[in-house]
Every structure is written in C-alpha cells, then in structure tokens.
Amino acid sequence: MKIILPIAAALLLTTAAGAQTPGKEGVAAARTTNGVANWTTYNADLKGSRYSPLDQINPGNFKDLEIAWRFKTDILGSRPEYKLESTPLAVDGVIYTTGGTRRAVVALNGATGELLWQYAMHEGKRSAESPRALSGRGLSYWTDGTKRRILYVTIGYRLVSLDADTGRPDPEFGTNGVVDLKTDYDQDLGDLDTGEVGVHSAPAVSGNTIIIGAAFREGFTPKTHNNTKGYVRAFDVRTGKRMWTFHTVPKKGEFGYETWLNNSADVNGNTGVWTQVSVDEDLGLAYLAVESPTSDFFGGKRPGPNLFGNSLVAVDLKTGERRWHFQLIHHEIWDLDNSSAPLLMDVTVDGKPRKVVGLPSKQGFFYVFDRATGQPVWPIKETKVAKGNVPGEWYSPTQPIPSKPPVYARNGVEEKDLIDFTPDMKKKALELTSKYVLGPVYTPPIVSTPEKFGVINNWAQGGTNWPGGSFDPESGIAYVYACGACISSTGLLPPPAGLSDIPLVVGVAGQPVVMIKGPGEGAGADSPAPAAAPGSGNAGPPRLAVDGLPLVKPPYGTISAIDVNNGTIKWQVAHGETPDFVRNHPVIKAMGGIPRTGQSTYQIGTLVTKGLVVAGENQFTRTEDRPRGAMLRAYDKQTGKEVGAVFMPSTQSGSPMTYMVNGKQYIIVPTSGGNASGEFLAYALPSKR
C-alpha cells in the first residue's frame, strides 16, 4: 500500500501571484462564514433530503446561469475516469469531493475551484481486484467544533480519516489514520487482496458514529452463492474502533435465521447495504436499505423468504440492534435490490403530524412507514404472485404491494407497454415479443429455450436507482426520477464447469454462457439481448427495438412529485429532451413529432431548493437553437412546469448539489460519459460588472 501525501507536503504550485503552498494555508484562506450555506453530507443532511432553502437562483433567473468554474478530474489517477458519480460537500466555502480512477480526495476553493489539497492511496492488487472501483459516490464530514475531519472509503475497502484543513491522515484514528474494513468483520475473507467486498457510497456520520455498508460485483454470474456477507458496521469517529455489527444475513440463533430454510444462511452471501444510510438522530435510529442475497435471478440455494434481504431495517444508532424491519420482497429473484437512500420526512397525514420514512424503488413503488415503529402509513397488502417452474427454485406465494402512493414508474413490461406509434410498429413489437414472456413486475424468470428466450422486464435497471429521490420539508413532497425504458431480457441456463457453483445463471438458449456483467446499478436503457457468440451457429435473440426505436412506448424517463401527506402523485413530467434518434426518425417526423419523451438512464438525481427541482440530462441531443450537448433543467416544484434550462458540455452522471459562499449561490453538477471524462461544473448567476 502506498499513500500519496497531500500536495502541500510534496510540491509548490506556481500561480500568477507567485509561489503558493496549498494545504492548511489554502483552506484557511478559502474558508469563510460570510454569506455561507453549507452542504455537509452526501444527501445534504442525514435525512436524505437533497434539499437546500437557497433561493438566489430561482425560477426567474435559472436560465441565466453560467459556468463559474470547472474542475477536471483526469489528474486524479493513472487514467481519466468516465463514470464520475460523486456529489461534493461544501463546508464554509471549501468543496470536498472524491474523483478520478484512484478515488482521490480533493479540497477546492468554493468560489474559484482552485485545488487546495489532494489525498489518494495506491492499493495495488487490492484496488485492481475491488468490486467497486473508480471515484465512488462521495465522502463525509465531521467536526466537534475544534477538530474537522473528512472520512471516506478507498477502492480497496479501507476507511480513512483526513484532517479537513491539511488532507493529512489523523494519527489518532485507526492505524495512522486508516481502518482496514476487511478485518474484524465477523467472517473470514481469506486473502485480503482478493476477498470480495468494497463500497462506493459515502459513510454516514452521526455524532461520534460512522456507519459503513458493503457492496459486491455488479453481475448476473457470481462465482459462488457462498459469497461474502454484506454486514453493516459502525466505528468510533475519533478512534476508528468498531462499535457494532449488524448481520444482514442472520447467524444461527439470531432473529431471522429461520427464514433461510435448511440452514442456508450459512452458505449464502451478498445482502449488503450499498446505497446511502439515513439517520434520525432524535429517535437514535439508522435506516438500512438492504440489497438482495446471492444470486440475482436464482435463489434455489437459499429457500425461504431470506431476511434481511430486500428489507428496510431500522437499527439502534448506538448498539446496532434491530428495532424494526419490513421486507419489501420475499425471496428476491429479480435483481430488484434496494437502491435508494431512505427519505426521512415530517408530513401531515389525515390531519396529524407523522414522522415517516419513504423508500423509492426499482419497482416504481414508493414505500412509506412510520419511522419509529415501522408500521406502513397506508396498507401494504400481501398479494398473490405467479409461481415459476425453474428447477430447484423456491417461490414466495405473495409479495407486499403498497396501496398508496400509486406506482410512479413502469411496473413490469406487458403488451400495453409496447410501442404503438403506428399499427405496423405495434404488429412488429408483438412479433418480436412472441419469443419472450411478458408480464407484471414479479413475473418469475424462466429457463431459456429456443421457443422462449427469456422474460422481457425492467427489473434490474428500471424505476429509481442509486441516485434515489429528494424531499421538500416545506411541502411534504418527494421528487423522484425513474427510468421508463430501461428494459432487458433475462433467461437462465446451467453454467459450464468452473464458471459458477450456482445451478442456473443468466444465459440465452443456443449460445455459450459467459461471465456477464449485469446492469445492476449501472446499465443503459433498452439493453439489447446478448449477441450470438462467434461460431455458435445461432443468430441469437433480436434486439429489443422496433425499426430502431425503443420497444416500449414513452415516457422514457420521468420526474414525479409524490405528495407524502396524502399518498398521491401531484405531478409527473418527462425529463430530458427527446433523443435525436427518436425525434429525427422518419416515422416520427411524418407524424409531425411527438411530445417530449424524456431520457432513459439510471444516473439522474434531483436537487430541491426553495423554488426549484433541478436535474440534468444524461444523453446528448442537438436542436436548432444550440449545439450538441445536454441540458441542466429546472422545474417549478409546485407545478412541474419547466422554468429554465442551461447548456452542459457533457452529461450529468451524478447528483447535483448547491451551496453559497460570500453571498453567491452555486450549483455543482458532476458530469462524464461517452468521450467526456469526469468534470465538476459549478454554475452561478453572472457577476455584476
């Protein structure tokens, strides 16, 4: 392991003003309490709101925003990064963020973007073998009024505490500022370099407690069902000492163990918390959105409901003891893992104040519970679902379906969802899908055959993914992006010898089964079926498209305003310009055009301010009034009307945030993708001259 020291200790930067040493002096010069509004956690606060009361940028002037400064992350690693998903922090005029292929931490001047210090760690093989590489989602800030610390997890799964002023590791934390998260883990990972576990989310820090989850490889084909278990742990923010561990796969004798039939909890893994953890400091509870067990589409090695897989679990902040849980999916076999940070909301239901927790989902359900007791605010009925016939599988006869709010995103793929711009297109869509199974959200997977390749679905990629939602505490409304055209086809086949010990993995009849990277949290929309392997003698299933257009009808991406006071959808808009290949299609032009379709992606997070909902586009388009690029769009948060849009030279790939320094409000958007490497764009209103 090699540590890159903060640049303050290694070099001098020469500027027009002469030699200047970044680091403590640079941070001290940038820090201010004059006209400042901070953003001190990944989601603005521990409640996950992504809300700021700032209103200098408002519906009347959003269109006037200009790029005030920009910070390119290419130097933060051995090569440029094209998947920048980090949301920065803003503390007293200083921006802190991760970036680059090394997952470096940098401090920037919030008014100018000037680099103040940098820290990174060379982890060699351990980094190369990590299931969660690149810059990750962000970091955390802690202070006791005297000490100021930046905390984050490296690619190799080490927790680091840095002095916020200098970027130097805290010598009182762990071993020289570092805690090895692959040790003291209540399980043996074997070789620490190759033991599969990592995380890309930011730690949750409340008081003196740091909470860390776990993540694994994105993919349909794990090597073994007995993978690492995704336990959640807490550490002391001053010393790095472990405080508690919550076993997301229960150990023998613990609550929930009996839900893994045949003692299968002993020989199955994953079930981690890879999204953000939210905290109610008044109730002393941390809320864990737990993912699926191994494996994504076959659970025959783990019969039973499998607690705490696909559950929302509230644990005691000080002890890690379970206070309540609700399992959203019993025995998950659809890769519909919990992907979003829980939203802690104070609302008024039936005339009474309620403290609730809401969870957006890939299914397009928005689950709402009393956050002290875990009781559903509106009935969640156990509903009978179809039983499959995959050999060796165990099926739950029912799944919990919320009565309110209504579904806010595509919820399965059925005939009514297919493209119907013209009768001929609908006919072609029906012909194409005749080789597949269609159905609602919990349609069970099938074994792939030449007659039925698989199930067309929006399981892994649809609905709301890792950016989650946002919440306006003034109105009690949650704002959630969802992908409506992120579909794929899924079939199962036995793996070849040596690939996996799981009896059935994702595959297509007539084609070799290979290690497939699954969409999970990071795949585009309208994913084509896998192409036939060279020499396979099989043309393979067709692409899920009709005449070059998406198989399903618009909208391809939406933002929904969900009124949590009464469980209704206040408004919904198609977010994003209609893609060029759709808008310019001959059939669409002959129709005289169609309403804006929105864009399909999994990467869009929303920001809420005093008057706006802000989100960028994840696809390039070209229109008559601007060059090819993407737009950062703002909507009136009460009506959903678009009130302004500004040009971005690249596409949004993380979630935006906002802050104020010296009385000036900024909005930072992480951008990357395609040919554009990672860059932070800071927008502000033009300065008066």
Side-chain angles (χ1 to χ4, degrees):
M1 177 180 69
K2 179 182 178 183
I3 294 175
I4 303 174
L5 291 174
I7 56 176
L11 55 88
L12 296 179
L13 289 185
T14 301
T15 69
Q20 181 179 357
T21 304
K24 186 172 184 178
E25 293 78 9
V27 170
R31 285 185 66 193
T32 178
T33 57
N34 176 36
V36 164
N38 292 329
W39 185 285
T40 56
T41 74
Y42 174 85
N43 281 323
D45 52 44
L46 289 171
K47 294 183 177 182
S49 74
R50 305 200 66 81
Y51 169 81
S52 170
L54 293 176
D55 63 355
Q56 185 180 92
I57 298 172
N58 57 55
N61 59 27
F62 185 90
K63 67 182 184 306
D64 299 323
L65 290 179
E66 297 177 345
I67 295 177
W69 57 262
R70 53 204 302 176
F71 182 80
K72 197 77 170 172
T73 65
D74 289 3
I75 64 170
L76 304 179
S78 59
R79 64 189 188 281
E81 178 190 23
Y82 294 88
K83 194 180 181 184
L84 178 62
E85 297 175 346
S86 180
T87 295
L89 308 182
V91 184
D92 297 342
V94 179
I95 301 299
Y96 300 96
T97 188
T98 54
T101 55
R102 192 79 62 195
R103 196 177 293 180
V105 181
V106 296
L108 309 174
N109 185 309
T112 65
E114 178 189 6
L115 179 64
L116 304 177
W117 58 252
Q118 172 194 343
Y119 172 91
M121 186 181 291
H122 284 267
E123 298 178 281
K125 182 179 180 182
R126 184 158 165 167
S127 176
E129 295 286 340
S130 173
R132 298 291 164 155
L134 304 177
S135 59
R137 307 269 157 79
L139 35 74
S140 300
Y141 172 80
W142 172 86
T143 182
D144 62 1
T146 302
K147 295 180 179 179
R148 295 162 16 92
R149 297 290 180 261
I150 297 296
L151 298 119
Y152 88 115
V153 179
T154 69
I155 294 173
Y157 207 47
R158 292 177 168 101
L159 174 62
V160 183
S161 178
L162 304 174
D163 186 302
D165 292 326
T166 66
R168 292 181 178 277
D170 178 359
E172 298 177 357
F173 184 88
T175 302
N176 299 320
V178 180
V179 171
D180 190 336
L181 295 173
K182 288 191 175 183
T183 62
D184 198 16
Y185 199 19
D186 290 2
Q187 58 186 314
D188 183 10
L189 296 183
D191 182 85
L192 294 183
D193 281 341
T194 59
E196 185 182 324
V197 66
V199 79
H200 42 4
S201 56
V205 181
S206 174
N208 291 331
T209 303
I210 310 168
I211 302 175
I212 304 290
F216 307 95
R217 297 188 191 281
E218 298 177 59
F220 293 147
T221 315
K223 294 287 291 183
T224 175
H225 58 86
N226 194 17
N227 200 19
T228 308
K229 302 179 194 303
Y231 297 155
V232 178
R233 286 170 291 172
F235 300 86
D236 186 278
V237 75
R238 297 177 184 273
T239 66
K241 181 179 178 180
R242 185 178 73 159
M243 298 171 60
W244 52 258
T245 300
F246 178 75
H247 298 137
T248 53
V249 179
K251 289 180 173 289
K252 198 166 189 176
E254 294 181 340
F255 180 92
Y257 182 83
E258 71 283 356
T259 68
W260 299 70
L261 304 182
N262 304 333
N263 302 318
S264 57
D266 300 337
V267 292
N268 282 273
N270 286 52
T271 324
V273 176
W274 56 257
T275 191
Q276 295 299 134
V277 173
S278 299
V279 177
D280 186 321
E281 295 184 297
D282 294 332
L283 293 175
L285 296 178
Y287 299 87
L288 315 177
V290 185
E291 64 148 353
S292 315
T294 317
S295 64
D296 287 341
F297 295 101
F298 180 79
K301 290 292 186 178
R302 48 175 173 86
N306 306 142
L307 287 178
F308 291 95
N310 299 88
S311 299
L312 180 61
V313 185
V315 300
D316 188 286
L317 186 60
K318 293 183 179 179
T319 67
E321 295 180 0
R322 180 189 63 90
R323 292 290 185 84
W324 62 260
H325 77 277
F326 192 97
Q327 189 173 47
L328 308 176
I329 303 176
H330 311 311
H331 189 79
E332 213 276 281
I333 50 174
W334 299 275
D335 196 13
L336 292 169
D337 46 330
N338 288 331
S339 58
S340 302
L343 296 172
L344 310 188
M345 303 170 285
D346 295 346
V347 295
T348 301
V349 180
D350 295 330
K352 298 179 181 179
R354 296 289 301 269
K355 293 181 178 295
V356 304
V357 52
L359 194 67
S361 69
K362 293 182 178 181
Q363 301 95 290
F365 296 132
F366 190 86
Y367 301 89
V368 186
F369 307 94
D370 184 291
R371 66 177 187 258
T373 67
Q375 290 297 311
V377 171
W378 297 287
I380 298 180
K381 182 182 179 181
E382 288 290 342
T383 304
K384 186 177 180 180
V385 295
K387 181 180 179 180
N389 58 5
V390 170
E393 185 59 273
W394 187 95
Y395 296 95
S396 174
T398 64
Q399 295 295 344
I401 306 295
S403 59
K404 294 174 71 173
V407 171
Y408 66 88
R410 198 180 304 279
N411 190 241
V413 178
E414 303 180 65
E415 183 177 324
K416 63 182 174 60
D417 297 298
L418 301 179
I419 186 173
D420 59 359
F421 292 138
T422 67
D424 182 61
M425 284 185 169
K426 184 62 176 284
K427 180 181 177 181
K428 290 179 179 178
L430 291 172
E431 291 173 351
L432 187 157
T433 57
S434 67
K435 300 287 287 183
Y436 296 90
V437 172
L438 302 179
V441 59
Y442 293 126
T443 300
I446 65 169
V447 174
S448 183
T449 68
E451 292 73 34
K452 293 288 183 182
F453 292 121
V455 179
I456 293 179
N457 58 77
N458 59 339
W459 296 335
Q461 308 132 294
T464 304
N465 218 296
W466 61 263
S470 55
F471 175 69
D472 178 10
E474 298 178 12
S475 63
I477 296 175
Y479 300 93
V480 187
Y481 172 85
C483 185
C486 293
I487 65 171
S488 60
S489 63
T490 303
L492 300 175
L493 288 176
L499 181 68
S500 176
D501 64 10
I502 297 173
L504 290 167
V505 299
V506 169
V508 179
Q511 298 184 33
V513 176
V514 296
M515 186 69 78
I516 301 173
K517 179 181 178 182
E521 309 134 50
D526 307 311
S527 300
S536 67
N538 190 314
R543 182 181 178 88
L544 302 184
V546 172
D547 294 340
L549 293 174
L551 177 63
V552 293
K553 65 178 69 170
Y556 304 144
T558 59
I559 293 176
S560 300
I562 301 173
D563 192 329
V564 189
N565 300 288
N566 53 35
T568 62
I569 296 178
K570 186 177 177 69
W571 54 257
Q572 184 178 88
V573 296
H575 174 64
E577 181 60 78
T578 302
D580 289 346
F581 76 95
V582 176
R583 185 159 35 88
N584 297 325
H585 193 279
V587 171
I588 302 300
K589 283 190 171 183
M591 294 170 57
I594 56 176
R596 182 184 288 177
T597 64
Q599 297 177 356
S600 53
T601 177
Y602 64 95
Q603 288 181 303
I604 297 302
T606 53
L607 162 69
V608 187
T609 68
K610 185 75 173 177
L612 299 171
V613 179
V614 179
E617 296 178 337
N618 189 249
Q619 296 179 26
F620 281 128
T621 57
R622 177 183 288 111
T623 60
E624 295 179 358
D625 59 344
R626 62 169 173 81
R628 182 171 171 81
M631 302 299 287
L632 181 66
R633 300 186 183 276
Y635 304 92
D636 183 295
K637 70 180 186 181
Q638 296 300 327
T639 66
K641 179 183 177 182
E642 184 172 314
V643 293
V646 292
F647 182 79
M648 298 188 297
S650 185
T651 57
Q652 177 177 314
S653 53
S655 297
M657 55 81 74
T658 189
Y659 65 99
M660 179 174 282
V661 56
N662 295 326
K664 192 178 189 67
Q665 184 183 355
Y666 298 81
I667 294 176
I668 292 183
V669 186
T671 64
S672 63
N675 295 324
S677 56
E679 184 175 31
F680 293 103
L681 303 177
Y683 287 88
L685 294 172
S687 298
K688 295 180 180 179
R689 293 181 177 87

